[in-house]
Amino acid sequence: MNRAQTTIKSEVKLEGIGLHTGNRSTLIFRPAPPNTGIRFFRSDLPGTPMIPARLDFVVTTVRGTNIGLNEARIHTVEHVLSACTGVGLDNVDILVSANEPPAMDGSSLPFARALLSAGFQHFVDYPPRELRFPGEILHENGKARYRAVPAENFQLDVTLLHDHPMVPRLNLRLELDRQSYLAEVAGARTFCFEHEIEYLRSQGLAQGGSLDNAVVIGRDKFHTNADGLRYPDEFVRHKILDLIGDLTLIGRPLFRMRLEAECIGHAHNIEFAKKLREAALLMRRGPIEGLPRKPSVEPAMEIDS
Ligand SMILES: [Zn+2]
């Protein structure tokens, strides 16, 4: 992992259609100064409004993580964010010319490759923002369960449990760094179940979804492009990809923890990320003598905390 804050060296551009909206868009990654974190910009709107990639700007979590500020929205930010953290970026500006980034192939690999091709620059006077918290953090909601404990690096143990004959219990344990992210996680694509498609489409979702950017799990077979599954357990790997993207919204992308999680999804990821942020904030600020340990809330516009 990097020991100085990192951004890219030069601008890099991708184009395609959004997974849920079906809208065509151009995405530009642009180098950003230290302590700015990751920021999205709507390059098609007057004034190019900015939306920080932070938890306070999450507006909905239906089949994707959507952020917004005032009237500006960007849907399905998780794969782009996952790539940024996966390759070890702290600061980057992301310009999108519509309300959703292009889905590309449904994984984060095209974004990661673009970032790698741009090269990296390091701000040696600025240490990376580490996510540190004092002890065990637990979060449970329905079947979803998360448990994080402090560690020196980022270790994941994720389990997928679906009540579906084609998807047995899948578990993957990984120690995350740039290399393992690229080899084990980045290529895993979005998936959905065949029986959900009609409903998703009726809700205005998956409008840009196809076998070019998703795997469809049928009753007794997988529907994929001609290349088939990229990993036998591609689904749990994609859940890890999504989780890394959602946790990036904490704004401290150097994760020092061992994280066990099962039955996870975007809404639960965001709830858990908020708990982690709370614990990390309390640790940095410390309890005030004589006062009860009231939960504190990070100011909404504080980008460089
Ligand atoms: Zn995803």
Side-chain angles (χ1 to χ4, degrees):
M1 279 291 183
N2 49 317
R3 294 179 179 280
Q5 284 192 27
T6 300
T7 189
I8 45 175
K9 252 188 201 152
S10 58
E11 202 168 286
V12 60
K13 182 163 119 179
L14 300 103
E15 282 173 318
I17 58 162
L19 179 69
H20 288 304
T21 61
N23 292 336
R24 177 154 285 280
S25 67
T26 300
L27 178 149
I28 297 172
F29 289 113
R30 197 170 267 178
N35 286 342
T36 49
I38 302 177
R39 304 180 296 188
F40 282 90
F41 294 82
R42 280 288 300 271
S43 58
D44 57 320
L45 297 181
T48 319
M50 186 261 281
I51 311 169
R54 300 295 286 261
L55 289 169
D56 294 314
F57 300 91
V58 173
V59 287
T60 52
T61 47
V62 182
R63 302 304 289 231
T65 300
N66 308 321
I67 58 173
L69 176 59
N70 301 322
E71 302 304 308
R73 295 277 180 280
I74 299 190
H75 298 261
T76 330
V77 293
E78 62 272 17
H79 301 169
V80 179
L81 292 178
S82 184
C84 293
T85 294
V87 302
L89 284 185
D90 301 273
N91 308 293
V92 66
D93 287 346
I94 305 168
L95 285 72
V96 186
S97 70
N99 59 353
E100 190 178 19
M104 310 311 293
D105 67 357
S107 78
S108 65
L109 196 55
F111 303 116
R113 284 196 176 133
L115 293 167
L116 291 172
S117 76
F120 299 112
Q121 49 176 320
H122 307 286
F123 303 106
V124 288
D125 295 333
Y126 294 87
R129 292 175 180 157
E130 299 177 8
L131 179 72
R132 283 190 183 275
F133 48 93
E136 181 184 62
I137 308 291
L138 278 173
H139 179 65
E140 286 187 17
N141 188 339
K143 286 184 185 169
R145 183 181 168 277
Y146 299 75
R147 177 179 178 267
V149 290
E152 270 317 295
N153 52 7
F154 186 26
Q155 303 158 30
L156 276 166
D157 181 342
V158 175
T159 305
L160 195 61
L161 295 164
H162 276 293
D163 190 15
H164 191 285
M166 293 298 288
V167 188
R169 179 183 186 278
L170 294 174
N171 170 268
L172 190 65
R173 292 175 196 190
L174 270 181
E175 208 169 289
L176 253 292
D177 56 21
R178 183 186 291 168
Q179 209 175 353
S180 62
Y181 179 82
L182 292 169
E184 310 292 345
V185 177
R189 291 161 298 175
T190 297
F191 63 94
C192 73
F193 293 94
E194 195 170 17
H195 62 82
E196 298 175 306
I197 292 178
E198 204 177 318
Y199 174 76
L200 289 173
R201 293 252 158 93
S202 76
Q203 299 297 301
L205 296 167
Q207 306 294 315
S210 74
L211 296 185
D212 291 332
N213 57 28
V215 175
V216 175
I217 303 169
R219 192 195 298 247
D220 51 13
K221 65 178 282 210
F222 299 122
H223 304 279
T224 66
N225 63 17
D227 300 332
L229 289 185
R230 292 180 174 175
Y231 308 90
D233 56 356
E234 187 164 354
F235 313 115
V236 68
R237 291 170 192 259
H238 187 78
K239 286 289 187 183
I240 290 175
L241 185 160
D242 281 341
L243 177 61
I244 294 169
D246 287 337
L247 293 177
T248 299
L249 292 162
I250 297 172
R252 300 201 152 255
L254 185 53
F255 302 122
R256 304 274 195 199
M257 64 177 158
R258 173 181 163 71
L259 171 54
E260 295 156 19
E262 62 182 49
C263 293
I264 62 177
H266 295 297
H268 301 313
N269 288 349
I270 297 300
E271 289 165 8
F272 170 65
K274 286 181 175 170
K275 272 197 181 175
L276 275 177
R277 177 182 65 172
E278 192 65 34
L281 269 173
L282 281 174
M283 182 164 139
R284 297 209 308 277
R285 291 179 182 160
I288 299 167
E289 202 81 13
L291 283 177
R293 287 190 105 186
K294 263 198 345 202
S296 61
V297 177
E298 199 165 34
M301 288 304 294
E302 189 184 347
I303 315 294
D304 60 354
S305 60

